[in-house]
């Protein structure tokens, strides 16, 4: 019971941190879009940095938003098939999905993202001259967050499975 409370508290802190980071990034995107409109249409000389900056901030918002939405159970899911399952089979299916998500997160997002990030060493972005590793780092970070949320969800599903039996 104490462990469940400690994990729940840490997940609330993680959720809050991600909420703040995502909100700040979205606010920065709005400001960047506004600046792009001003430079393009009012000044007649569009900023060459804004478009690249907005592209990469959007990638970061997406890669941080996916685990956040997944952890809050606000992600897109299709439950037509699983609604017909018995409660025990429904929980077992959810546990299987969590295992699959962990495997994909480890091999695709963390390992693959790490390889892409390391392969981009020495490359810089065209307009802003920022190391490309900074842009690609969001993929393994997102993978780690997905694992954290998935393990948390799996713990709750295992508890439900014990209750269903």
């Amino acid at each position: 019971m104490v462990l469940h409370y400690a994990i729940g508290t840490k997940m609330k802190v993680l959720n809050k941190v991600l909420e703040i980071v995502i909100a700040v990034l979205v606010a920065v995107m709005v400001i960047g879009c506004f600046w792009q409109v001003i430079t393009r249409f009012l000044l007649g000389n569009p900023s060459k940095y804004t478009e690249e900056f907005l592209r990469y901030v959007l990638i970061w918002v997406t890669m941080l938003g996916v685990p956040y939405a997944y952890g809050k159970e606000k992600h897109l899911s299709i439950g037509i098939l699983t609604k017909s399952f018995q409660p025990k089979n429904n929980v077992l299916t959810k546990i299987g999905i969590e295992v699959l998500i962990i495997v994909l997160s480890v091999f695709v997002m963390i390992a693959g993202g790490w390889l892409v990030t390391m392969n981009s060493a020495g490359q810089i972005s065209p307009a802003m001259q920022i190391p490309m590793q900074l842009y690609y780092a969001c993929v393994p970070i997102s993978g780690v967050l997905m694992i954290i949320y998935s393990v948390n969800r799996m713990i709750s599903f295992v508890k439900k499975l014990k209750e269903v039996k």
Side-chain angles (χ1 to χ4, degrees), residues 101-120:
I101 287 171
I102 289 171
V103 169
L104 287 172
S105 294
V106 167
F107 290 107
V108 174
M109 296 179 77
I110 295 175
W114 182 259
L115 287 174
V116 170
T117 303
M118 291 301 107
N119 284 338
S120 67

Side-chain angles (χ1 to χ4, degrees), residues 29-124:
M29 284 180 65
V30 169
I31 293 167
C33 285
F34 186 68
W35 178 249
Q36 180 68 11
V37 169
I38 289 173
T39 59
R40 181 179 302 268
F41 294 110
L42 295 180
L43 302 177
N45 186 16
S47 171
K48 66 180 184 175
Y49 305 106
T50 315
E51 186 177 337
E52 180 179 291
F53 175 75
L54 291 172
R55 181 180 320 123
Y56 291 123
V57 171
L58 179 62
I59 292 168
W60 269 89
V61 166
T62 303
M63 295 307 289
L64 293 177
V66 167
Y68 175 74
Y70 185 71
K72 299 279 273 185
E73 297 186 25
K74 301 292 183 189
H75 61 288
L76 179 64
S77 63
I78 302 171
I80 294 172
L81 182 64
T82 57
K83 285 182 180 180
S84 64
F85 289 176
Q86 297 294 325
K88 179 183 175 185
N89 292 338
N90 196 357
V91 174
L92 286 172
T93 302
K94 289 179 180 181
I95 291 171
I97 290 169
E98 296 305 326
V99 169
L100 182 63
I101 287 171
I102 289 171
V103 169
L104 287 172
S105 294
V106 167
F107 290 107
V108 174
M109 296 179 77
I110 295 175
W114 182 259
L115 287 174
V116 170
T117 303
M118 291 301 107
N119 284 338
S120 67
Q123 298 176 14
I124 55 173

